[in-house]
Amino acid sequence: MPRPFTIVALGDSMTECKAIASARRWPALLQRRLNRAFPGRRFVVINAGVGGNTSREGLARLERDALAHRPDLTLVEFGGNDATTDPARTVPFAEFTRNLGALRRRLSGVGSATVWVTFPPVVDVWHGWSNPANAAAREKFLPAGGLDAYLHEYRRRTRDFAQRHGDLCIDLYGAVRQAIERDACARYIVQDGVHFTDAGSRCATACVFAALHPYLAERGAQAGTGPAIERCGLRTH
């Protein structure tokens, strides 16, 4: 039997979705949708999200959690924790871009296409950074207009990097923002202001699937054939 088309979802807690039952996390839902959409092909989606990770920490575990699976395609989602106020862990904007480059080079070296995913929205009024007692966070994020606004630079750099290299970029931020403006925050985001509810996970699945379905169909996704998907143009959804 031919090897399945393997997708690794590499990211932080927004990929891991630890508080949601494993079968309802968006990488698991994505696997089911892809297998239904492409009869005769077999897709495996590996959830390699680790809560709290920055792009630096994701890069450090790339070999173990992504390259070891010989992925045909890797979804990369970071940026939220790179803004941490912990001086030992914070990832400045310039380093973030360098980390994206290092991730891409190493993934390309094993024949994996790289697809970038923007960090979803943060509900500032629910998030702990806005607590008056959290002086370091308020000092860092208030001048930008809040944590969510501060994270826009990481999102922008993700989109710009993808465009510069002709990679697919999936605008998860935009999709979830549109959904919460339509239906209210509490449907998609839990009270910590960051993490997905079950509906948020389904929203993420729909967004990622909508981008990947035509991308895979146009390139005839086949496993085990080197760089299985050509990097030939940015699509944002």
Side-chain angles (χ1 to χ4, degrees):
M1 178 179 293
R3 191 173 71 88
F5 189 94
T6 301
I7 297 173
V8 170
L10 181 73
D12 49 35
S13 60
M14 304 311 297
T15 296
E16 184 183 25
C17 298
K18 186 177 181 180
I20 300 173
S22 58
R24 300 199 300 270
R25 298 170 189 174
W26 70 258
L29 297 176
L30 177 66
Q31 176 177 296
R32 293 202 288 276
R33 289 196 65 171
L34 288 172
N35 280 310
R36 288 198 302 268
F38 293 95
R41 302 178 190 172
R42 189 160 67 96
F43 289 83
V44 171
V45 180
I46 296 165
N47 189 335
V50 173
N53 262 199
T54 65
S55 60
R56 183 192 301 155
E57 292 158 347
L59 179 60
R61 63 184 176 86
L62 183 66
E63 177 69 42
R64 181 193 69 206
D65 290 351
L67 303 186
H69 297 291
R70 297 170 55 213
D72 297 286
L73 183 150
T74 304
L75 297 162
V76 179
E77 174 271 312
F78 288 108
N81 298 300
D82 292 72
T84 176
T85 56
D86 180 349
R89 297 181 58 241
T90 189
V91 177
F93 298 133
E95 183 190 345
F96 179 75
T97 301
R98 291 195 299 272
N99 290 342
L100 300 187
L103 287 163
R104 188 180 190 277
R105 283 192 300 275
R106 293 183 63 188
L107 288 164
S108 180
V110 299
S112 175
T114 308
V115 172
W116 307 95
V117 181
T118 58
F119 190 83
V122 172
V123 183
D124 282 318
V125 294
W126 293 350
H127 193 278
W129 81 265
S130 60
N131 187 323
N134 198 341
R138 290 172 67 83
E139 181 180 356
K140 182 171 184 175
F141 302 133
L142 272 177
L147 173 58
D148 192 59
Y150 188 92
L151 295 178
H152 282 331
E153 180 63 13
Y154 293 104
R155 298 176 184 124
R156 183 191 70 78
R157 285 173 178 262
T158 300
R159 289 190 292 266
D160 287 355
F161 182 90
Q163 186 169 32
R164 192 160 62 248
H165 293 279
D167 293 337
L168 173 66
C169 184
I170 301 175
D171 188 13
L172 185 57
Y173 168 81
V176 177
R177 172 63 65 192
Q178 184 177 46
I180 64 178
E181 288 176 356
R182 181 185 66 235
D183 298 325
C185 298
R187 177 168 171 77
Y188 301 100
I189 307 293
V190 300
Q191 288 295 313
D192 65 8
V194 182
H195 297 105
F196 288 141
T197 62
D198 276 348
S201 180
R202 293 194 298 273
C203 180
T205 305
C207 171
V208 176
F209 176 80
L212 282 186
H213 182 272
Y215 186 75
L216 293 169
E218 289 171 11
R219 290 153 182 81
Q222 296 176 2
T225 56
I229 299 178
E230 298 174 11
R231 303 171 182 88
C232 55
L234 173 71
R235 294 174 185 272
T236 54
H237 294 262

